[in-house]
Amino acid sequence: MTIRVLVADDQDLVRTGLAMILDAQPGIEVVGQAADGLEAVEFARRLRPDVCLLDIRMPGLDGIAVTRELAGPGVVDPLPIVVITTFDLDEYVYGALKAGARGFLLKDAGPDLLVQAIHAAANGDALIAPKITARLLSAFSEPPTGRTPVQPVDPLTTREEQVLIAAATGRTNAEIATELHISLSTVKTHLTSIMAKIGARNRVEIAIWAYETTRIKP
């Protein structure tokens, strides 16, 4: 099955380069290129790509606004979003992830990580560049507007706490299964339960919640 991708970046060379990298990968096809946020929303709604790759800073609508339009709370059929930026501690990244983005990459991440992020988003998973996961999330570990982080509907079990920490620190499902000596399906079951209890929509929000509740400390 081919993953259809929309690329949005206001820099022509960057946008073209990203599209060329992705088009060269087996199983990935770039179906549209947008030069600003308004185009990105228009193209995404018309083309319904499997994944949208968005620059965080664009004219018209920035990456956060586009993410909110396409994947934010209340969107009936959200599109998978991967945010890409030049800045590893951009103040807007937290907002993009909270708005529903499934991944965050730096523009110098390299083709392999870019392709991994696209596949992860298409599969309903999430990927944040490993070298900046802890720095990024810890930098925004304080809840915005001083609100108290959402508490679980039911307390997390000991095993769920272990899976939560592993996922929040960037472990893949396979790595979690190996570390905790449990099956891959059990990992997925625990992640589903965790998301239901804390009201998270994906692994990115699980990670943010872990930092907001100081389960992982900067």
Side-chain angles (χ1 to χ4, degrees):
M1 178 180 173
T2 300
I3 300 173
R4 301 168 66 253
V5 180
L6 170 67
V7 177
D9 194 299
D10 62 319
Q11 294 182 294
D12 292 344
L13 287 176
V14 173
R15 185 175 66 254
T16 302
L18 291 170
M20 289 177 63
I21 290 171
L22 294 176
D23 268 332
Q25 305 300 317
I28 296 179
E29 177 189 3
V30 175
V31 295
Q33 297 184 43
D36 60 50
L38 292 171
E39 273 193 351
V41 172
E42 177 192 346
F43 289 179
R45 288 176 172 165
R46 176 161 50 87
L47 299 171
R48 298 300 300 178
D50 299 307
V51 179
C52 298
L53 181 65
L54 307 177
D55 183 20
I56 196 73
R57 292 180 172 178
M58 293 185 290
L61 291 176
D62 63 22
I64 298 174
V66 175
T67 299
R68 192 176 295 115
E69 288 285 331
L70 301 177
V75 176
V76 176
D77 190 13
L79 290 171
I81 305 291
V82 174
V83 171
I84 188 165
T85 181
T86 305
F87 308 99
D88 62 349
L89 285 179
D90 193 308
E91 67 272 21
Y92 298 125
V93 170
Y94 183 90
L97 297 178
K98 294 291 280 188
R102 287 190 186 171
F104 170 71
L105 294 175
L106 298 180
K107 289 182 179 177
D108 64 358
D112 290 344
L113 200 58
L114 175 62
V115 172
Q116 287 179 42
I118 295 298
H119 279 284
N123 292 331
D125 210 335
L127 185 148
I128 301 177
K131 73 176 183 178
I132 56 142
T133 298
R135 287 178 58 203
L136 169 67
L137 294 174
S138 63
F140 298 106
S141 58
E142 292 299 321
T145 68
R147 64 172 173 77
T148 303
V150 174
Q151 296 305 309
V153 176
D154 295 308
L156 301 184
T157 66
T158 300
R159 182 62 88 190
E160 286 171 350
E161 291 280 1
Q162 293 171 339
V163 172
L164 171 79
I165 298 302
T169 50
R171 305 293 199 281
T172 64
N173 287 0
E175 289 170 340
I176 295 172
T178 299
E179 288 182 15
L180 299 181
H181 306 289
I182 56 180
S183 69
L184 198 57
S185 62
T186 300
V187 173
K188 293 178 181 177
T189 298
H190 284 314
L191 287 171
T192 298
S193 176
I194 291 167
M195 286 190 283
K197 287 182 176 181
I198 69 176
R201 293 171 295 173
N202 52 51
R203 291 168 70 101
V204 172
E205 293 188 0
I206 288 177
I208 291 173
W209 187 83
Y211 278 88
E212 287 182 344
T213 58
T214 66
R215 280 167 168 78
I216 300 175
K217 297 181 180 180

